[in-house]
């Protein structure tokens, strides 16, 4: 288990993941059983919201949508910034859209929710009291974020312009986003294979002790396996979805 948030994150670094759902209680029960999360109340500026915890350390956030809001249910990564307002201006000037904020989340920090030119939604987080995910590398913690989009190079330029990433080509139509030489996220262009019902979207990877066992448990809990466990360059992974259809990947990485 690695401490991940003893200090403010480098601007552009993924620092938090959050999920907005209709059934807050049932979603908590699902992830508690799958990942061992416990929950504590979080900032309520956008409605009921809880923070998922492991051993008393913050891992992720889950909020409740108003009954009349029918938005896509999806895990959303938050990217660190030292100035949410300035970053929001930069997002707009480079062809993105700011849908929520910037606004204060109590004493925790200042946030915005935006989308890139291809429509993928992400958050921006200016930390104050809350620095972000506090643990990485153990069962139930987010370990990677990958943007699934139609074509990688153009949208990669957007993120490089807004967040200062160094963009490194990897496989065909795949990019690695680096900060100070360190990989922090990736962009994959999948062309016509992009799901029509979701469009461009960020995919959060959660570490698990055993991908196959977690996939079986997830099915028992009412979730769905979209791509069965398989070997990847980073470990054994499976693409899955929760009770309300939020898609994520579970992965067992070497040494994870």
């Amino acid at each position: 288990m690695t401490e991940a948030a003893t200090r403010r994150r480098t601007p552009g670094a993924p620092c938090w993941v959050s999920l907005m759902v209709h059934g807050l209680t049932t979603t908590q029960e699902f992830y508690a059983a799958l990942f061992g999360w416990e929950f504590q109340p979080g900032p309520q500026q956008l409605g009921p919201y809880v923070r998922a915890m492991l051993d008393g350390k913050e891992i992720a956030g889950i909020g409740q949508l108003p009954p009349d809001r029918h938005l896509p249910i999806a895990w959303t990564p938050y990217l660190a910034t030292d100035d949410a307002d300035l970053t929001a201006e930069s997002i707009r000037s480079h062809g993105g859209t700011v849908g929520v904020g910037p606004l204060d989340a109590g004493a925790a920090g200042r946030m915005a929710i935006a989308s890139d030119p291809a429509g993928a939604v992400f958050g921006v987080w200016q930390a104050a009291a809350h620095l972000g995910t506090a643990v990485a590398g153990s069962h139930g913690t987010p370990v990677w974020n990958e943007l699934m989009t139609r074509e990688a190079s153009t949208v990669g330029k957007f993120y490089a312009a807004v967040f200062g990433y160094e963009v490194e080509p990897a496989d065909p139509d795949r990019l690695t986003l680096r900060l100070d030489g360190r990989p922090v996220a990736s962009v994959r262009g999948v062309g016509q294979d992009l799901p029509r019902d979701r469009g461009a979207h960020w995919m959060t990877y959660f570490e698990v002790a055993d991908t196959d066992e977690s996939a079986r448990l997830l099915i028992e809990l009412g979730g769905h396996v979209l791509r069965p466990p398989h070997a990847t360059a980073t470990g054994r992974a499976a693409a899955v979805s929760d009770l309300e259809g939020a898609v994520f990947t579970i992965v067992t990485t070497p040494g994870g």
Side-chain angles (χ1 to χ4, degrees), residues 199-224:
H201 62 281
W202 279 93
M203 174 77 81
T204 297
Y205 287 65
F206 290 95
E207 182 79 33
V208 293
D210 184 321
T211 300
D212 296 78
E213 181 57 37
S214 289
R216 286 191 290 269
L217 174 58
L218 177 136
I219 292 171
E220 292 176 10
L221 295 170
H224 298 276

Side-chain angles (χ1 to χ4, degrees), residues 42-60:
Q44 309 289 308
Q45 275 72 15
L46 298 178
Y49 187 83
V50 295
R51 287 179 179 155
M53 317 286 288
L54 280 174
D55 297 326
K57 299 186 182 299
E58 298 166 334
I59 302 299

Side-chain angles (χ1 to χ4, degrees), residues 12-14 143-145 165-166 168 175-186 234:
V143 291
W144 191 248
N145 289 282
Y165 297 126
E166 304 132 23
E168 176 189 26
L175 308 171
T176 300
L177 304 181
R178 294 177 177 268
L179 288 172
D180 301 325
R182 182 175 62 91
V184 295
S186 53
T234 54

Side-chain angles (χ1 to χ4, degrees), residues 15-16 51 58 107-109 125-133:
C15 60
W16 188 243
R51 287 179 179 155
E58 298 166 334
W125 183 251
Q126 178 186 333
H130 173 62
L131 296 176
T133 300

Side-chain angles (χ1 to χ4, degrees), residues 150-173:
R150 193 170 300 282
E151 185 269 325
S153 63
T154 301
V155 77
K157 292 175 183 176
F158 164 83
Y159 286 97
V162 174
F163 293 104
Y165 297 126
E166 304 132 23
V167 179
E168 176 189 26
D171 301 329
D173 213 20

